[in-house]
Structures are given as C-alpha cells and as structure tokens.
Amino acid sequence: MTSLKLATNKKSLTGELTIPGDKSISHRSVMFGSIAHGETRVTNFLPGDDCLSTISCFRKLGVTIEENGGDLRILGQGFEGLTEPDEVLDVGNSGTTIRLLMGILAGRPFFSTLVGDESIAKRPMTRVTGPLSKMGTAIDGRKNGAFTPISIRGGKLNAIHYELPVASAQVKSALILAGLQAEGETTILEPADTRDHTERMIRKFGGKISKEGQTIRVEGGQRLSAASVNVPGDISSAAFFLVAGAVVPNSEIVLKNVGLNPTRTGIIEVLKNMGAELEIIQTEDDSFEPAGDLVIRTSSLNGTVIEGELIPKLIDEIPVIALLATQAEGQTVIKDAEELKVKETNRIDTVVHELKKLGADIEATEDGMIIHGRTKLHGGVVSSHGDHRIGMMLAIASLLCEGEVTLDNPEAIAVSYPNFFTHLESLIH
C-alpha cells in the first residue's frame, strides 16, 4: 500500500474539465454489445479498473472486444454466442460486473465461476442468487451462495414476479438480464426508483421493456441488435468537483458533457437545496441518456435533510455530500441509507471515521449520519480503505485543511477515475 501527500488549504479552483465516461453506462455498453447481434461501437468508454474487469470477463466468454483508449469495437453474437469460459471470471473490485453478469450467465447452458477481490468477497450476493435460483438456475457459493466464489450452471429460465426487498439498480438489472432469456414475462417491483441505465440500454439495442408505477415488465426471448453508444460523463465522478467548487473559496469550475439521467441527479438536488450556485446547460436530451455542462461556483451553504426516495439517486455521492455538509451552516441529516453498509466498505462508518480525523463534527447513525457545520478542517493521515469514493472525497477534503494531509491507498481511485489527480491539479491556482 502506498501513501500520497495531498494538496491542502487552497485559495481557489478554476477551469474546465471533461469528466470521464459514466461507469454504470460503460459497464452496460460492454455487456449489451456482447449479447447483441452485430458490431457495437462505444465512444468515451471509461477505462477504469472496474470497467476493464467487465471487458476481461466477456473476452473469457468468447466475445471479441477491441480497445483503442476510450473507443471500443464489440463483435456480439447474441446470448447464444457466449461460450463456457476456460478459466475463472475475475471481476476485481466491481460489484456491478459480478451482479449483472450473474443475470446473464443464469440463462446460459454452461458452467462458470465468479470471483473478485477481498472487498467483493465480503459483499452479499444472496439478493441476486436468491431470485435467480427461483428462476431455475443452479447457483452456489460460500455460505449457500451468499458470498464469492459463486458457481453458476445456467440453462432454461422461467419468468418470475419478484418484489425487491431494497431499492438496488444492480439487483434489478441482474433480474432484467435474466428475464430477457426466460420463458414468459418477468415482472420486478422496486420499492423506489433506481438508476435506469439498463432499461435505457435495452431500448437502445432494439429491445422492449416497460414500467408502470414501480413495476417493470420484460418479455423473454428478445433478440438485441448492435448499436453505437456515446457514454456521457459520470455524474458520480463530477460530484467531487461540484463539491470542491462549492466549498473552496473564489472558485468556478465548468464540467463538460455530464450525464443528467434523472435517476442519478440527486447530488444536483442536494446542492440546490443547500443553496449552491449551480448552473445547468442541457446539451443532450435524447431518449438514450441526457447530458449537459455544469457550472459550479463558491457558495454559501445551509444544512438540509437527505432521506427517502432521494437516497437511491445519490447513494454513491453520500461520502462527498458528508464533506459538503461540514462546510454548510447548521445541521445536515442523512437517513434511509442502510445500503451504504454493503458498498466497497461500510461507507457510513468509514466516512465518519475518516472525516473525524480531519476535525469534522460528524456522527454515524443506524441508517446514515448527522453532520454539524460549519467546521474548520485540519491535517492528518487518512485512508481510502480501498474504496475509490472515499479516496476522492478525502482528496477534496484536503483542499480545505490547515496542515498536511496524507492519503493511504490512493491507488483505489483508479477503479473509476484513473486521471483524477491530474484533473484536480489542473484546477488549483
């Protein structure tokens, strides 16, 4: 594990950034290109560690994928073109890869084994393996399929009606991908809206899926056709610079071509509710994925309450929202965020622990945290704990700190944002 001394106590951030491609959409572009018929072209793909794990897995399943930086060429031969892998499928640190891939493999008539890193080994898989077993696939793993390694012998699937116990885009997507291969119509009831990239991607590749109220319906036996996918910038990555621009004095940052999918814009709602000076310039409003440019300026912020249906729209942004709240007047309460406990780390405890090291007035609750602002931050030795979102949040926090900040395990950030530090450095003046 390495350590990195971070930039501290900065007087302004100014400039323009083009945010790397959206991680969720990059994953799905590879998956759908692989299960569609024909040649799929992808531009602005995110070449982060997680998405490269997805490419590696599909190559092992017999798919030809050519990479040229952020451009991909995928030669898909449909679901039936996937072949039994000769080796274990290693998803690295990627929860999206393993959960969605399980949905695809559930309907394939061959055997495969999925593993990941130490973090993946601790993340619960029962929420996916349970309903997939009900659809008829033979699936097993440590503790009866609760943890990796996971083994799957796929085959004929039956459609099911399934009520998600928690709002999870990954679980929903796994069941949709299995449902595309099942006999009959699969229906999924979700307790709250979650990111809908999978549904949009199905339509992009010529498939059909519908949603009425909270019920999603997908018919089995569909044939998908190749498409061209231009991946917008990742709003979860943009969030770190939105917070930086709002809290560092004398700042103005322009973020180009950021995805503005309404199931992902919780960070924008929170910033506006707290009084941030944020301007949105819509540039793309097609049926696939809306996008636009964002301008953020140093702002006077007030505390707020973040709860309920807003949580799934910003679950990955909560670590940096906690930092934002330390610089707002008054109290900010985050609740209904139990899902944070089963991310790359227990993000509730980790965020509280690390921000306290820098002087934040923050406490953990059973389902979130309470942050008291406005607080001056100081130096210290902090750690990403191998979690990219925690690492980037702490790098932004250092900009506000009096005294030296050292970040342990900064390399975790490469999972979703390989050139994060270069981009951050370009804004510092």
Side-chain angles (χ1 to χ4, degrees):
M1 184 175 72
T2 61
S3 297
L4 180 69
K5 285 189 169 38
L6 298 175
T8 55
N9 194 25
K10 293 303 162 189
K11 303 302 182 191
S12 74
L13 298 174
T14 56
E16 183 177 293
L17 293 178
T18 299
I19 295 296
D22 186 282
K23 186 155 76 87
S24 296
I25 300 171
S26 292
H27 278 302
R28 287 162 175 81
S29 69
V30 173
M31 294 180 182
F32 277 87
S34 297
I35 60 177
H37 290 265
E39 180 182 300
T40 290
R41 297 275 187 165
V42 182
T43 53
N44 199 37
F45 175 82
L46 172 68
D49 293 351
D50 274 12
C51 297
L52 294 176
S53 292
T54 295
I55 288 179
S56 171
C57 287
F58 278 90
R59 283 178 172 156
K60 289 175 183 176
L61 290 165
V63 181
T64 298
I65 303 174
E66 298 173 2
E67 288 175 78
N68 182 13
D71 296 335
L72 301 182
R73 179 172 172 260
I74 306 166
L75 302 180
Q77 299 178 63
F79 280 108
E80 61 275 20
L82 302 179
T83 57
E84 182 168 290
D86 294 331
E87 53 190 304
V88 167
L89 301 174
D90 188 345
V91 305
N93 184 246
S94 179
T96 300
T97 306
I98 191 166
R99 293 196 174 113
L100 273 62
L101 190 49
M102 280 195 273
I104 291 171
L105 294 173
R108 297 299 85 219
F110 54 69
F111 178 81
S112 50
T113 301
L114 293 155
V115 298
D117 67 5
E118 280 181 43
S119 166
I120 288 292
K122 296 173 187 170
R123 296 176 73 172
M125 297 297 155
T126 313
R127 52 176 66 176
V128 178
T129 59
L132 289 179
S133 296
K134 288 179 181 175
M135 294 179 80
T137 197
I139 193 164
D140 204 354
R142 269 190 312 124
K143 300 195 176 173
N144 297 317
F147 298 99
T148 58
I150 297 285
S151 66
I152 301 174
R153 185 168 289 284
K156 184 179 174 184
L157 298 178
N158 301 307
I160 59 168
H161 172 76
Y162 189 72
E163 294 187 19
L164 292 174
V166 294
S168 167
Q170 289 181 359
V171 179
K172 172 185 72 173
S173 296
L175 298 183
I176 289 171
L177 287 162
L180 283 171
Q181 305 170 77
E183 285 200 8
E185 182 185 73
T186 293
T187 58
I188 303 159
L189 181 66
E190 54 178 353
D193 289 338
T194 58
R195 52 183 70 178
D196 65 352
H197 301 304
T198 299
E199 296 94 311
R200 288 171 180 261
M201 197 72 77
I202 285 175
R203 297 184 190 106
K204 179 78 170 173
F205 282 79
K208 291 182 179 177
I209 188 165
S210 65
K211 183 174 182 182
E212 296 170 27
Q214 299 304 124
T215 302
I216 297 159
R217 299 177 186 277
V218 60
E219 193 71 38
Q222 295 190 48
R223 176 188 166 100
L224 302 176
S225 300
S228 294
V229 178
N230 181 30
V231 182
D234 196 323
I235 194 165
S236 295
S237 296
F240 296 93
F241 292 108
L242 290 173
V243 168
V247 299
V248 174
N250 310 308
S251 295
E252 179 173 317
I253 303 172
V254 180
L255 304 174
K256 305 291 286 184
N257 187 40
V258 178
L260 296 175
N261 182 307
T263 65
R264 295 281 301 281
T265 50
I267 180 67
I268 289 175
E269 291 179 50
V270 167
L271 282 162
K272 287 185 170 179
N273 289 344
M274 295 176 78
E277 286 191 44
L278 175 63
E279 185 183 346
I280 303 170
I281 305 159
Q282 189 97 18
T283 56
E284 196 71 51
D285 193 18
D286 64 17
S287 59
F288 176 50
E289 291 285 355
D293 299 342
L294 304 177
V295 185
I296 185 74
R297 300 177 182 91
T298 306
S299 309
S300 256
L301 303 168
N302 298 302
T304 189
V305 177
I306 303 164
E307 62 184 338
E309 291 185 358
L310 191 54
I311 293 295
K313 296 169 73 173
L314 47 65
I315 195 74
D316 284 335
E317 290 75 66
I318 286 176
V320 81
I321 288 170
L323 170 64
L324 179 73
T326 69
Q327 303 307 302
E329 295 294 336
Q331 178 177 277
T332 295
V333 179
I334 300 170
K335 47 190 177 180
D336 302 322
E338 301 95 331
E339 185 70 8
L340 285 176
K341 293 180 178 179
V342 292
K343 288 291 188 177
E344 282 82 340
T345 56
N346 178 332
R347 283 186 178 160
I348 292 175
D349 291 348
T350 307
V351 167
V352 169
H353 180 69
E354 295 301 319
L355 281 177
K356 272 187 171 178
K357 291 180 183 176
L358 301 178
D361 186 352
I362 181 171
E363 59 198 89
T365 63
E366 194 57 39
D367 63 347
M369 52 194 92
I370 299 170
I371 307 104
H372 303 276
R374 186 173 181 222
T375 315
K376 284 189 174 181
L377 301 181
H378 55 68
V381 178
V382 291
S383 173
S384 74
H385 294 264
D387 186 328
H388 55 131
R389 307 286 182 201
I390 303 290
M392 285 187 277
M393 178 273 287
L394 293 168
I396 299 302
S398 74
L399 301 172
L400 301 165
C401 291
E402 295 276 357
E404 188 172 275
V405 176
T406 301
L407 175 63
D408 290 338
N409 199 1
E411 54 269 24
I413 291 169
V415 158
S416 63
Y417 204 148
N419 51 356
F420 173 78
F421 287 109
T422 306
H423 278 188
L424 181 57
E425 212 42 59
S426 74
L427 298 173
I428 296 172
H429 297 284

